[in-house]
Amino acid sequence: MKSRILFYIIICILPSLIFSSCVKDENEAMPKSTVSRLYVSNADTDAAVNSTLIFDPADQTKFTEPYKFNSQLPDGNGILFDPYSGVVFQVSRLNKNIKTFKVNTDGSLVSKSSFVHEGLLSAREMAFDRSRDMLYISSNIDSAIYVYNNVSTLKDIVLADKKLKLDGQPWGIHLDNDRLYVVIDQNRAEVQLFENASALAVGPILPTKKIIVSGATRLHGITYSSSRDVLILTDIAEASAAGFDSDGSIHIITDASSKFTESGAPIVPSKTMKGALTGLGNPVDVAWDDREGKDLIYIAEKAKRKILVFNYSGTGNIAPTVIADLTSSPEAIYLDAR
């Protein structure tokens, strides 16, 4: 009798156990593994040049030949990957076109959706707020950040939900929870921090806090690790004048949160990588693998058409540990490291 009762109990609960084990939690990222993929957005306008490259793996002692994808986004700028949906976002400054791509299990891409905003004057970097399905795009020439709500549903011709006007030209941006870090271009050498970014109202906005980086000339790329509280910035110095292909640098700021103030007092970087051995000329973007045992800084070196990799522990005039020579002009990068 007891065995028969037990049999009926198992029969009753087994389907629910099977079902619950098969349901995917949309709040979980794609499975962690040894993934290290570097996504590259190329600024070339020649239709013969692929707008998107993927180095997979990206954390080895030597780069293998990258996967090349014709995303048809001339003058490619910002690129990012969302590990929860497995979707890549990329923007074309020339066509004012934002496209998304699904990442297959082998790392290859397939087109997903596309939308155009004719008012997006000069798209540079992007940041994605997954919890709010909100996309931020910086536009330097009109000193603005454009915000798109429900971005996963957008297609065809759209308008931005918000246009946020800054007191300088934004380039690199980085979103940490609801805090938006914005690099101010030209000779400002400034990073602005906007807290509660999702609540910012349309029109002119002022930063909650900011820093001015002493010794910097013209900042572009930015990345931040909240677990390490470290901010990494790239400095292109001269964009096209004499020496433009050899005067770049990387600035690293530790205990970054404590350095931001309302007044934005100048701060000295904790360390800087700069000099002939670095190969830094026009480092337009940066990504960082801050995992234990990795600590690799990736640089999109546009002037010399290279991807450079440095050890985070380095400082001063040091050579990159890994170099990828490209036949295209890298403008933006994004690292998926899990």
Side-chain angles (χ1 to χ4, degrees):
M1 186 67 179
K2 287 183 179 179
S3 61
R4 184 175 298 177
I5 293 173
L6 180 60
F7 172 78
Y8 285 125
I9 291 173
I10 292 173
I11 291 298
C12 289
I13 67 172
L14 187 59
S16 62
L17 289 173
I18 294 172
F19 177 77
S20 62
S21 66
C22 295
V23 173
K24 180 180 182 296
D25 184 352
E26 295 298 335
N27 292 316
E28 292 182 356
M30 294 173 71
K32 289 187 177 182
S33 59
T34 55
V35 170
S36 176
R37 291 178 181 144
L38 185 71
Y39 297 86
V40 181
S41 180
N42 290 321
D44 306 80
T45 56
D46 185 345
V49 177
N50 291 299
S51 301
T52 312
L53 305 177
I54 303 177
F55 287 93
D56 181 12
D59 59 353
Q60 305 300 301
T61 56
K62 184 178 180 180
F63 279 122
T64 57
E65 186 69 17
Y67 165 73
K68 299 177 181 179
F69 183 74
N70 184 16
S71 56
Q72 298 180 338
L73 290 170
D75 195 2
N77 269 252
I79 190 167
L80 62 83
F81 171 74
D82 173 35
Y84 292 87
S85 61
V87 170
V88 171
F89 295 77
Q90 188 178 7
V91 63
S92 163
R93 189 165 73 105
L94 180 65
N95 291 350
K96 305 173 183 180
N97 183 195
I98 297 91
K99 289 185 178 181
T100 62
F101 310 94
K102 193 72 177 177
V103 180
N104 294 321
T105 53
D106 63 355
S108 61
L109 302 180
V110 61
S111 296
K112 185 175 185 290
S113 64
S114 172
F115 65 91
V116 173
H117 176 205
E118 295 291 353
L120 183 58
L121 297 185
S122 184
R124 292 301 181 182
E125 286 289 351
M126 298 193 296
F128 179 55
D129 184 339
R130 184 190 62 83
S131 65
R132 298 177 177 85
D133 198 19
M134 182 183 295
L135 185 71
Y136 298 83
I137 301 181
S138 62
S139 176
N140 62 315
I141 64 173
D142 57 340
S143 300
I145 292 178
Y146 293 85
V147 184
Y148 304 86
N149 294 334
N150 303 311
V151 67
S152 64
T153 66
L154 297 182
K155 60 181 180 178
D156 303 327
I157 306 299
V158 305
L159 296 174
D161 291 277
K162 296 180 185 178
K163 181 179 181 180
L164 308 174
K165 288 289 291 181
L166 287 76
D167 67 344
Q169 297 186 21
W171 198 283
I173 59 177
H174 181 92
L175 189 68
D176 176 55
N177 291 321
D178 202 19
R179 302 188 303 165
L180 184 66
Y181 293 85
V182 180
V183 167
I184 302 300
D185 189 21
Q186 301 300 327
N187 62 355
R188 295 275 291 273
E190 183 175 316
V191 181
Q192 298 184 350
L193 170 60
F194 297 88
E195 295 180 346
N196 301 314
S198 61
L200 290 170
V202 172
I205 59 173
L206 293 174
T208 312
K209 298 176 181 178
K210 59 185 178 179
I211 58 171
I212 297 173
V213 183
S214 296
T217 302
R218 187 177 178 185
L219 300 176
H220 262 36
I222 181 172
T223 189
Y224 172 72
S225 169
S226 57
S227 62
R228 303 271 290 271
D229 194 19
V230 173
L231 184 71
I232 303 180
L233 305 165
T234 64
D235 186 348
I236 69 166
E238 290 291 344
S240 57
F244 81 99
D245 60 351
S246 60
D247 60 357
S249 56
I250 303 168
H251 303 295
I252 297 176
I253 301 166
T254 59
D255 299 318
S257 296
S258 65
K259 309 290 176 63
F260 281 84
T261 61
E262 291 184 13
S263 61
I267 62 103
V268 176
S270 306
K271 60 181 178 178
T272 294
M273 300 178 188
K274 182 178 183 179
L277 291 178
T278 66
L280 296 167
N282 208 227
V284 287
D285 203 8
V286 59
W288 180 23
D289 185 346
D290 66 349
R291 293 177 298 171
E292 184 177 353
K294 297 298 181 181
D295 254 357
L296 302 173
I297 298 174
Y298 297 79
I299 298 294
E301 170 48 52
K302 187 176 180 181
K304 294 180 178 177
R305 292 184 147 196
K306 298 177 185 292
I307 300 296
L308 308 177
V309 185
F310 296 87
N311 285 321
Y312 172 82
S313 59
T315 187
N317 186 18
I318 60 167
T321 57
V322 186
I323 299 174
D325 293 301
L326 308 180
T327 56
S328 54
S329 301
E331 185 70 55
I333 57 176
Y334 189 92
L335 181 70
D336 173 29
R338 290 177 277 124

